[in-house]
Amino acid sequence: MDSCVIPLRHGGLSLIQTTDFFYPLVEDPYMMGRIACANVLSDLYAMGITECDNMLMLLSVSQKMNEKERDQVMPLMMKGFRDAAEEAGTSVTGGQTVINPWIIIGGVASVVCQPNDFIMPDSAVPGDVLVLTKPLGTQVAVNAHQWLDIPEKWNKIKLVISREEVEQAYQEAMLSMATLNRTAAALMHKFNAHAATDITGFGIIGHARNLAQQQKNDVAFVIHNLPIISKMAAISKAGGNLFGLLQGTSSETSGGLLICLPREQAARFCAEMKSSRVGFSGAVGQDGGAGDGQQAWIIGIVEKGNRCARIIDKPRIIEVPYRGSVVSAQEGSNNNASPPEVQLT
């Protein structure tokens, strides 16, 4: 499970907690802080929890940094974390800081809940559909950006993507990772979600399999569509099946929620995600952030099975344009609002 659920002694309440941390994966320390906070909170959001009572920050300062580097980088990282916590309606009240060979940032999120505040991730039924609330491809985008300065790596992918497109994809990945999954968590209640998880280090197929194994019913998840940041599928192919993106094994950081929804509710869930005022845009100079909604896609089905998950042999690749693109609104509308029968062909 994404979070631990601890029954309390008083009044039928539960304490729900989660923790996570990782090493920097983007160059902007402020954005790294925001991404780290969003990543921690996603474990709560995956259970349909929209409020967080308290956060702690876990921080490691690299012993390889000189005093000037430390004084410039670490406050920005901490500010990004705190700003994302504030956006989530919570605050950072403490934590732990250590000296370490590497920079590390993460945190702990805690909330006390009544039973109807959270959705246990175990009630998917045959006939449900699978919805994903962020595009895949963040690992490929971040690595491609690093390869701009590594000729032997860049030469493998330069025929399928320009330097400008790599920069756009990198900015899109940062924006996506820094966006909270809070709106999706709220809509899980409105549209009667049966189970959910967030997509992070094990890739979409790893987390789909883990979620399938937790189900009370004999079900299997079948993924037909893969929404991927534009050009990242081409990079993956050019790099020799880079990170297993098209097989669903590519790691994501602060990825979207994978949600099991009743078939008749899924299209409306996606449409309401798109119309909601969500997203973060300020730090990366994009036009398509807060107020423009967040895309979600119907990517598969729940059928009767033995608690497993798979991607079909030739999944449909949905190229997700960089925000601010002229075609973004049109493609977003088509992808989000299509009924399940159309999405799953």
Side-chain angles (χ1 to χ4, degrees):
M1 290 174 58
D2 293 302
S3 304
C4 62
V5 180
I6 306 166
L8 300 180
R9 295 186 297 272
H10 312 292
L13 300 174
S14 295
L15 172 65
I16 301 183
Q17 283 188 317
T18 184
T19 184
D20 204 352
F21 66 88
F22 48 75
Y23 308 104
L25 70 160
V26 298
E27 295 173 353
D28 185 329
Y30 176 81
M31 288 300 291
M32 190 62 241
R34 289 196 69 107
I35 291 166
C37 185
N39 190 66
V40 173
L41 288 167
S42 275
D43 288 338
L44 296 184
Y45 297 147
M47 296 188 69
I49 296 167
T50 59
E51 305 299 329
C52 176
D53 290 333
N54 183 63
M55 293 195 77
L56 303 176
M57 189 187 306
L58 306 176
L59 197 63
S60 166
V61 182
S62 173
Q63 60 192 197
K64 298 177 183 179
M65 300 173 78
N66 60 41
E67 185 176 354
K68 182 179 179 182
E69 290 170 335
R70 183 182 68 239
D71 291 346
Q72 288 180 336
V73 170
M74 304 315 293
L76 285 171
M77 200 174 291
M78 295 168 67
K79 177 173 171 52
F81 193 99
R82 287 197 181 99
D83 284 356
E86 182 178 350
E87 181 185 318
T90 187
S91 59
V92 180
T93 61
Q96 180 73 11
T97 303
V98 299
I99 302 292
N100 193 59
W102 308 279
I103 296 174
I104 297 174
I105 185 165
V108 180
S110 305
V111 61
V112 175
C113 287
Q114 295 180 335
N116 60 353
D117 291 334
F118 60 92
I119 299 170
M120 293 297 289
D122 59 6
S123 300
V125 296
D128 281 352
V129 297
L130 303 173
V131 170
L132 182 66
T133 66
K134 288 185 184 180
L136 307 172
T138 57
Q139 184 181 33
V140 177
V142 168
N143 279 271
H145 187 258
Q146 295 174 351
W147 293 352
L148 290 174
D149 299 319
I150 306 175
E152 60 268 29
K153 299 279 192 179
W154 172 244
N155 288 339
K156 293 181 179 180
I157 64 172
K158 67 181 182 181
L159 295 180
V160 298
I161 192 168
S162 68
R163 287 180 173 270
E164 181 183 4
E165 287 171 327
V166 169
E167 290 286 354
Q168 289 179 312
Y170 174 70
Q171 297 291 333
E172 177 63 30
M174 276 204 297
L175 179 59
S176 177
M177 292 186 288
T179 299
L180 301 178
N181 283 316
R182 193 180 187 191
T183 299
L187 293 179
M188 283 172 60
H189 292 271
K190 181 174 182 178
F191 294 104
N192 193 30
H194 292 151
T197 189
D198 63 327
I199 306 303
T200 51
F202 296 112
I204 189 167
I205 193 63
H207 289 285
R209 286 170 177 163
N210 183 61
L211 185 62
Q213 290 168 5
Q214 307 303 317
Q215 301 311 302
K216 292 183 289 188
N217 298 311
D218 294 329
V219 296
F221 298 164
V222 184
I223 296 172
H224 294 250
N225 305 323
L226 295 175
I228 298 174
I229 296 171
S230 182
K231 295 294 186 78
M232 296 306 101
I235 289 179
S236 180
K237 292 176 182 177
N241 190 29
L242 192 62
F243 304 119
L245 177 61
L246 302 184
Q247 286 70 46
T249 59
S250 183
S251 296
E252 305 293 333
T253 298
S254 189
L257 300 187
L258 178 66
I259 307 172
C260 302
L261 284 166
R263 176 178 287 265
E264 65 274 11
Q265 303 277 31
R268 287 198 298 144
F269 175 96
C270 293
E272 194 146 333
M273 280 287 292
K274 184 64 179 172
S275 64
S276 299
R277 294 183 61 84
V278 298
F280 168 72
S281 62
V284 290
Q286 296 283 357
D287 295 324
D292 288 344
Q294 187 177 348
Q295 287 182 279
W297 300 267
I298 297 167
I299 67 164
I301 58 173
V302 178
E303 61 184 23
K304 191 171 179 59
N306 58 348
R307 297 183 180 86
C308 61
R310 66 182 177 90
I311 299 174
I312 64 171
D313 289 339
K314 294 182 179 180
R316 174 190 173 205
I317 305 302
I318 301 173
E319 293 277 333
V320 180
Y322 317 126
R323 263 164 275 200
S325 169
V326 174
V327 298
S328 180
Q330 296 176 343
E331 290 201 12
S333 175
N334 290 340
N335 290 337
N336 293 345
S338 297
E341 290 78 10
V342 175
Q343 284 285 351
L344 301 179
T345 55

